[in-house]
């Protein structure tokens, strides 16, 4: 055998051995996952991860292996464990699907779990839908979006959200903010890179990262600290692999807006460590006056995601957008072109008309949130009053309250809520959406009754 053939044979054997070891490791990870679930422990345990990371670093020194390669490989292994251990997590989406199935069987359900406004888009949307055929929107179009819409969005953003003059080069029209988040995480980062997510958080940030082989460092915030991360927590989560921090204020699920000082500090840290800031500002239209867009910092590595889903009550139309430097937009648009060519042109036209209509849904959401807060106070739930968005993230006064079990029981009584475990390590919390006040009242009365029956 020649030298190269011998080496190739060896590399094959090693690779196959590694795959067998991966299978063994995955099986053990599943067993650990089952044990964690029965003990009520969280999937990710940063301390355990750090301990293993230290051992790997030590070993690399002993055997003279490049540490960053080994740590990226370790991040891949961590992600695989998280995936097999997260299979049975209950999220607002899984409850929603169960609720829908019950409705199909003829049961009446009050949806307090959904993440969408329950009112109609502006009426201009209806007219635009009628116009679209005659106007000839309906062919393939540019991947970044039709120029009229990108221009309109750029001037809207420049006028309402920032002091900077943006152009269409800063805008990427996407099929919803979800896809914009996916594009940003997938195209700007590489497998083995790390991102910081402040929990409680909308689950897709973590899921997008897991899907792209990116390690998530979570920062856990608490009700007691008003859902505010400390600067120390953020600094501690940063290492040489950290490439992005995700912000989402007003927050889903807490409705929190960060105090200006903390947000200023986070952007300063991002600048210092050259991190991307992905700021998901989808609820900015439903915010109180304290809210400050990340656009106002003029940070060149920021990506802002927004959506017609919330601002114009157009969830099913699937249209949102990202605002960033042209070089970032370029990278994101390449994957968009590859995966879906362009956002449906008729829908882009409708969005253009909806933007011009400039509806003010803020007052509707505010009065619903107020009603929700009052009702939650009457019931004796514990929470921080939301500064914006359209939710309340609450727990009860009962010790060891299991919100997942409670949400299952409540669903049997015709009310759906979102269990806190979908947003991180918050098994005792649940999220309630501020819906139409009559239905909300009915839902909250049932919630109160089931709570009393179960725990008092
Ligand atoms: N970000 C957050 C924080 C959300 O809550 C949601 C949807 N509920 C999205 C993004 C996705 O929005 P879209 O419908 O635009 O994809």
């Amino acid at each position: 055998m020649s030298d190269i053939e011998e080496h190739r044979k060896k590399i094959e054997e090693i690779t196959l051995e590694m795959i067998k070891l991966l299978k063994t490791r995955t099986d053990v990870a599943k067993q650990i996952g089952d044990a964690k679930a029965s003990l009520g422990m969280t999937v990710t345990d940063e301390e355990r991860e750090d301990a293993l990371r230290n051992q790997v670093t030590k070993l690399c020194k002993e055997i003279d292996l490049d540490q960053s390669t080994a740590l990226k490989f370790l991040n891949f292994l961590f992600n695989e464990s998280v995936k097999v251990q997260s299979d049975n997590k209950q999220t607002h989406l899984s409850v929603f699907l169960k609720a829908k199935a019950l409705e199909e069987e003829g049961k009446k359900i009050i949806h307090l779990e959904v993440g969408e406004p329950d009112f109609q888009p502006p009426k201009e949307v209806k007219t635009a839908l009628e116009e679209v055929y005659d106007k000839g929107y309906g062919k393939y179009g540019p991947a970044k979006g039709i120029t009229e819409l990108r221009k309109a969005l750029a001037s809207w953003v420049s006028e309402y959200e920032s002091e900077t003059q943006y152009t269409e080069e800063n805008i990427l029209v996407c099929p919803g903010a979800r896809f914009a988040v996916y594009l940003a995480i997938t195209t700007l980062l590489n497998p083995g890179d790390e991102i910081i997510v402040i929990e409680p958080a909308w689950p897709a940030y973590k899921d997008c990262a897991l899907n792209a082989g990116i390690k998530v460092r979570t920062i856990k915030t608490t009700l007691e600290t008003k859902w505010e991360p400390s600067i120390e927590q953020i600094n501690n989560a940063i290492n040489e692999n950290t490439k992005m921090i995700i912000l989402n204020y007003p927050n889903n699920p807490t409705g929190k807006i960060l105090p200006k000082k903390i947000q200023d500090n986070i952007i300063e840290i991002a600048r210092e460590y050259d991190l991307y800031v992905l700021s998901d500002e989808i609820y900015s239209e439903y915010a109180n006056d304290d809210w400050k867009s990340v656009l106002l910092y003029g940070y060149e590595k920021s990506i802002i995601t927004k959506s017609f889903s919330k601002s114009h009550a157009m969830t099913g139309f699937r249209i949102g957008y990202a605002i960033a430097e042209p070089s970032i937009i370029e990278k994101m648009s390449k994957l968009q072109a590859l995966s879906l060519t362009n956002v449906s042109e008729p829908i882009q036209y409708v969005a253009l008309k909806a933007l011009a209509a400039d509806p003010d849904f803020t007052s509707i959401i505010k009065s619903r949130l107020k009603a929700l807060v009052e009702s939650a106070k009457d019931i004796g739930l514990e929470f921080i009053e939301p500064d914006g968005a359209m939710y309340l993230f609450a727990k009860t006064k009962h010790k060891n309250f299991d919100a997942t079990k409670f949400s299952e029981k409540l669903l049997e009584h015709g009310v759906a809520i979102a269990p806190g475990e979908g947003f991180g390590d918050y098994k005792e919390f649940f999220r309630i959406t501020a819906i139409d006040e009559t239905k909300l009242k009915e839902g909250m009365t049932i919630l109160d009754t089931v709570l009393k029956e179960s725990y008092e």
Side-chain angles (χ1 to χ4, degrees):
M1 237 195 297
S2 70
D3 265 6
I4 183 157
E5 279 171 4
E6 211 172 295
H7 290 319
R8 278 184 171 162
K9 183 92 195 88
K10 210 166 183 178
I11 219 157
E12 266 174 29
E13 282 168 19
I14 296 170
T15 309
L16 295 176
E17 202 50 43
M18 285 172 79
I19 302 291
K20 279 191 211 154
L21 279 172
L22 182 61
K23 159 79 177 130
T24 314
R25 192 183 188 282
T26 308
D27 289 345
V28 177
K30 266 191 203 134
Q31 288 163 2
I32 296 177
D34 292 344
K36 280 179 182 168
S38 66
L39 293 168
M41 289 165 69
T42 56
V43 168
T44 309
D45 181 340
E46 304 270 347
E47 264 180 45
R48 282 285 307 148
E49 288 189 1
D50 276 342
L52 193 50
R53 199 175 281 113
N54 288 341
Q55 286 186 48
V56 169
T57 311
K58 192 164 158 259
L59 180 66
C60 284
K61 281 187 190 134
E62 284 165 20
I63 62 175
D64 193 24
L65 177 70
D66 176 42
Q67 255 184 52
S68 78
T69 310
L71 290 178
K72 279 186 180 166
F73 183 57
L74 184 65
N75 277 346
F76 162 77
L77 294 176
F78 283 153
N79 272 3
E80 291 309 298
S81 300
V82 172
K83 277 188 213 162
V84 296
Q85 294 180 5
S86 304
D87 277 356
N88 297 322
K89 213 168 58 179
Q90 293 289 329
T91 63
H92 59 290
L93 220 56
S94 54
V95 173
F96 174 71
L97 294 176
K98 275 188 210 161
K100 279 277 165 203
L102 287 172
E103 274 176 333
E104 271 172 27
E105 286 168 20
K107 219 171 167 214
K108 184 184 154 226
I109 304 286
I110 299 175
H111 288 277
L112 297 180
E113 88 290 18
V114 286
E116 63 182 353
D118 62 346
F119 41 83
Q120 288 284 61
K123 63 177 182 339
E124 286 80 352
V125 163
K126 191 175 173 202
T127 324
L129 279 167
E130 282 163 7
E131 285 170 2
V132 104
Y133 184 92
D134 290 335
K135 297 239 173 203
Y137 287 95
K139 300 290 182 195
Y140 289 134
K144 290 176 193 161
I146 56 172
T147 311
E148 311 89 289
L149 178 59
R150 291 173 72 212
K151 277 195 168 148
L153 288 169
S155 29
W156 189 89
V157 168
S158 310
E159 187 176 341
Y160 290 102
E161 312 254 291
S162 179
E163 287 142 10
T164 313
Q165 209 47 49
Y166 290 94
T167 75
E168 68 270 28
E169 297 303 317
N170 299 104
I171 306 286
L172 175 66
V173 178
C174 298
R178 180 184 281 273
F179 201 68
V181 166
Y182 168 78
L183 290 178
I185 293 177
T186 311
T187 62
L188 304 177
L189 307 177
N190 292 306
D193 286 348
E194 297 194 8
I195 62 169
I196 299 176
V197 174
I198 303 165
E199 286 186 341
W202 184 53
Y205 308 129
K206 234 177 173 167
D207 292 342
C208 284
L210 270 177
N211 180 60
I214 288 144
K215 163 90 189 105
V216 180
R217 291 267 181 172
T218 51
I219 289 180
K220 186 178 175 181
T221 63
T222 61
L223 179 69
E224 291 69 31
T225 51
K226 296 190 279 184
W227 306 120
E228 288 169 17
S230 73
I231 296 309
E232 194 191 358
Q233 277 178 305
I234 291 177
N235 276 322
N236 287 344
I238 297 176
N239 61 45
E240 73 262 29
N241 289 328
T242 315
K243 297 285 154 42
M244 179 184 275
I245 179 160
I246 296 187
L247 302 179
N248 168 226
Y249 300 100
N251 178 262
N252 173 10
T254 62
K256 174 79 182 173
I257 289 175
L258 279 189
K260 197 179 150 297
K261 179 104 184 55
I262 298 182
Q263 189 163 299
D264 291 354
N265 279 334
I266 293 177
I267 304 297
E268 226 171 85
I269 294 171
R271 276 187 208 277
E272 187 185 340
Y273 290 96
D274 196 32
L275 310 180
Y276 286 109
V277 176
L278 174 55
S279 183
D280 185 358
E281 302 186 358
I282 178 168
Y283 295 104
S284 62
E285 279 80 13
Y286 306 158
N288 71 20
D289 295 340
D290 298 335
W291 182 75
K292 176 179 175 184
S293 170
V294 165
L295 281 172
L296 284 163
Y297 294 90
Y299 179 44
E300 65 280 4
K301 287 191 83 171
S302 60
I303 307 100
I304 281 71
T305 51
K306 291 178 64 74
S307 177
F308 285 84
S309 287
K310 309 293 146 105
S311 59
H312 294 74
M314 286 168 64
T315 44
F317 288 74
R318 308 308 305 129
I319 185 157
Y321 54 105
I323 311 152
E325 283 291 300
S327 58
I328 294 177
I329 295 294
E330 195 60 45
K331 281 189 188 158
M332 290 169 63
S333 77
K334 284 203 172 124
L335 181 57
Q336 173 147 297
L338 170 75
S339 48
L340 50 89
T341 312
N342 61 270
V343 176
S344 151
E345 279 216 339
I347 298 303
Q348 291 191 66
Y349 174 75
V350 172
L352 182 68
K353 295 293 164 185
L355 188 73
D358 198 15
D360 183 11
F361 292 143
T362 319
S363 51
I364 304 181
I365 294 284
K366 274 192 176 159
S367 83
R368 286 178 180 193
L369 262 182
K370 196 163 161 257
L372 176 55
V373 165
E374 273 160 24
S375 162
K377 275 185 185 162
D378 288 345
I379 294 177
L381 299 181
E382 297 179 4
F383 57 95
I384 299 281
E385 284 196 30
D387 305 309
M390 43 188 276
Y391 314 105
L392 197 80
F393 200 51
K395 64 176 182 173
T396 66
K397 57 181 188 297
H398 308 289
K399 277 218 160 62
N400 302 322
F401 175 76
D402 184 329
T404 306
K405 284 197 184 126
F406 178 64
S407 73
E408 279 161 13
K409 184 145 196 206
L410 196 55
L411 193 55
E412 288 167 18
H413 291 78
V415 177
I417 52 168
E421 71 169 358
F423 304 96
D425 179 17
Y426 300 95
K427 263 189 172 297
E428 70 277 39
F429 283 86
F430 51 91
R431 189 192 73 178
I432 310 170
T433 305
I435 60 164
D436 160 78
E437 283 162 45
T438 317
K439 274 199 208 140
L440 179 73
K441 218 170 173 183
E442 196 185 337
M444 292 300 274
T445 307
I446 299 171
L447 189 149
D448 187 28
T449 312
V450 176
L451 198 57
K452 283 190 178 124
E453 272 171 20
S454 316
Y455 293 90
E456 281 169 19

